[in-house]
């Protein structure tokens, strides 16, 4: 019997889905996996980061424009997308309070309940989100992590959020591991060796030495161009002549042809022990789901044995 695989990727704002794991989403969608991007907020309090879009009428209509950008990015990636309905918290300065009614101040149980309902209706086998740092210290990214982990754990329990539909237990939870220090360092070294200016020295000087322990590297270099088109669809947020858009794509495909993840929950048998050379055993977010393995010794990421949802 063919398993209809489903992947849910949970993000804070429009554009996050295209800057974090987008090639993975496009790859799985092209292979026939059902992919749903969940966007927790509308990005209403975001800045206009592309100088070409900083013109009259844009800031005043930013919420609607960002929804249109999201629709185009979703189309390019070939995925479904759903707004969870919370309001962007913005990025307050030091000592500034969060705005009333924003996502970061939403009660955790309420926010998780909304996502539980979506998990139970979509029934993903795999869920992907940010780690506890949010990837960077934006209050909406941190709240996205908290809400997703809470919903992942609650969705399979009949006594939790009974109003949200019949229980469904996703099988695996991953954290995004992209744009890591090793990624920046590898691209910087490779471009420098080729006589190119990487433009990454300042970023490397600010990045912490430690990061996530990567368990899973998904080969997806053939979808980097799709990722880039989806990113550029977020025209208010992405300057095509700056930042992530300016490194050499051929070098990236050569030295880092994957998008990377850390497996943090699993209800199927997995092997995620990184070997002495740093190689990771997983190259597929659905490892252990497509073809369940025979039970072996438990791993740190493995949960208790459970009957996987195969609908």
């Amino acid at each position: 019997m063919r398993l209809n695989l489903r992947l849910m990727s949970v993000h804070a704002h429009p554009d996050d889905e295209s800057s974090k794991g987008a090639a993975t989403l496009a790859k799985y969608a092209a292979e026939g996996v059902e992919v749903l991007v969940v966007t927790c907020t509308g990005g209403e309090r975001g800045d206009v980061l592309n100088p070409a879009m900083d013109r009259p009428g844009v800031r005043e209509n930013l919420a609607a424009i960002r929804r249109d950008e999201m629709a185009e990015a979703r189309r390019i990636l070939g995925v479904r997308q759903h707004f969870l309905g919370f309001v962007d918290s913005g990025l307050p300065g030091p000592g500034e309070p969060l705005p009333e009614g924003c996502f970061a101040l939403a009660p955790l149980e309420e926010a998780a309940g909304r996502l539980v309902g979506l998990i139970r209706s979509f029934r993903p086998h795999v869920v992907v989100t940010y780690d506890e740092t949010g990837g960077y210290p934006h209050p909406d990214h941190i709240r996205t992590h908290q809400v997703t982990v809470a919903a992942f754990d609650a969705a399979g329990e009949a006594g939790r959020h009974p109003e949200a539909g019949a229980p469904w237990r996703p099988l695996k939870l991953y954290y995004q591991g992209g744009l890591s220090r090793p990624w920046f360092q590898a691209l910087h070294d490779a471009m420098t060796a080729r006589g190119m200016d990487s433009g990454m020295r300042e970023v490397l000087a600010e990045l912490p030495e430690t990061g996530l322990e990567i368990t899973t590297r998904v080969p997806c270099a053939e979808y980097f161009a799709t990722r880039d088109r989806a990113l550029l669809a977020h025209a208010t947020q992405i300057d095509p002549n700056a930042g992530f858009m300016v490194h050499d794509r051929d070098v990236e495909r050569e030295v880092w042809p994957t998008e990377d993840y850390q497996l943090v929950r699993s209800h199927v048998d997995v092997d995620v022990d990184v070997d002495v050379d740093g190689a990771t055993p997983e190259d597929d977010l659905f490892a252990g789901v497509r073809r369940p393995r025979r039970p072996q010794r438990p791993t740190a990421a493995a949960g208790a044995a459970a009957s996987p949802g195969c609908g």
Side-chain angles (χ1 to χ4, degrees):
M1 181 180 69
R2 183 177 180 272
L3 184 61
N4 296 316
L5 297 172
R6 292 179 293 274
L7 170 64
M8 175 182 284
S9 187
V10 187
H11 293 277
H13 311 106
D15 81 80
D16 288 327
E17 84 296 327
S18 295
S19 61
K20 302 165 187 67
T24 299
L25 302 183
K27 167 191 169 73
Y28 282 124
E31 292 174 355
V33 173
E34 293 182 56
V35 179
L36 176 63
V37 168
V38 180
T39 313
C40 292
T41 80
E44 301 88 349
R45 290 190 170 96
D47 292 324
V48 177
L49 302 177
N50 179 1
M53 290 294 292
D54 194 1
R55 56 180 188 251
V58 172
R59 291 182 184 273
E60 297 89 335
N61 298 288
L62 189 59
I65 291 170
R66 295 200 72 178
R67 280 185 172 266
D68 290 343
E69 292 173 345
M70 181 70 252
E72 178 62 8
R74 177 209 63 75
R75 184 195 66 78
I76 291 168
L77 294 174
V79 304
R80 295 164 57 185
Q81 187 267 340
H82 178 89
F83 283 102
L84 204 56
F86 291 97
V87 176
D88 188 354
S89 304
L91 190 57
E96 292 182 4
L98 289 163
E100 185 178 350
C102 72
F103 178 48
L105 293 179
L108 180 59
E109 193 72 2
E110 173 196 335
R114 289 196 200 180
L115 187 56
V116 166
L118 200 55
I119 289 173
R120 289 176 177 173
S121 62
F122 180 64
R123 303 194 304 168
H125 300 94
V126 173
V127 176
V128 182
T129 193
Y130 318 133
D131 66 48
E132 57 273 6
T133 71
Y136 78 108
H138 190 296
D140 285 341
H141 282 246
I142 294 169
R143 200 55 162 173
T144 296
H145 158 80
Q146 295 166 343
V147 166
T148 306
V149 172
F152 181 93
D153 291 339
E157 298 184 18
R160 305 278 302 277
H161 303 284
E163 76 289 349
W168 174 266
R169 185 174 68 175
L171 298 177
K172 301 175 84 175
L173 174 66
Y174 287 91
Y175 292 161
Q176 298 274 358
L179 301 181
S180 62
R181 183 182 182 87
W183 182 86
F184 278 103
Q185 190 69 61
L187 264 66
H188 171 74
D189 291 346
M191 292 174 68
T192 301
R194 291 162 174 77
M196 303 175 181
D197 179 8
S198 76
M200 296 179 177
R201 293 185 186 278
E202 291 184 5
V203 176
L204 282 166
E206 296 175 357
L207 286 172
E209 293 291 336
T210 58
L212 294 183
E213 180 179 334
I214 298 302
T215 63
T216 311
R217 300 186 189 275
V218 178
C220 52
E222 65 269 36
Y223 293 96
F224 286 173
T226 305
R227 170 203 67 190
D228 290 348
R229 294 203 316 275
L231 260 175
L232 291 171
H234 293 283
T236 60
Q237 306 302 301
I238 304 299
D239 182 349
N241 301 306
F244 179 81
M245 300 308 302
V246 299
H247 69 264
D248 188 277
R249 268 40 184 180
D250 289 334
V251 173
E252 183 188 12
R253 290 185 185 92
E254 179 182 339
V255 304
W256 208 285
T258 65
E259 289 181 336
D260 307 332
Y261 303 87
Q262 182 186 45
L263 178 63
V264 291
R265 299 268 205 288
S266 182
H267 296 298
V268 294
D269 188 58
V270 293
D271 176 8
V272 291
D273 290 332
V274 178
D275 70 20
V276 293
D277 295 319
T280 58
E282 282 195 344
D283 60 4
D284 179 13
L285 299 181
F286 294 96
V289 178
R290 296 181 193 269
R291 293 176 297 277
R293 304 168 62 221
R294 294 179 181 274
Q296 297 179 358
R297 61 183 176 81
T299 68
S307 56
C310 294

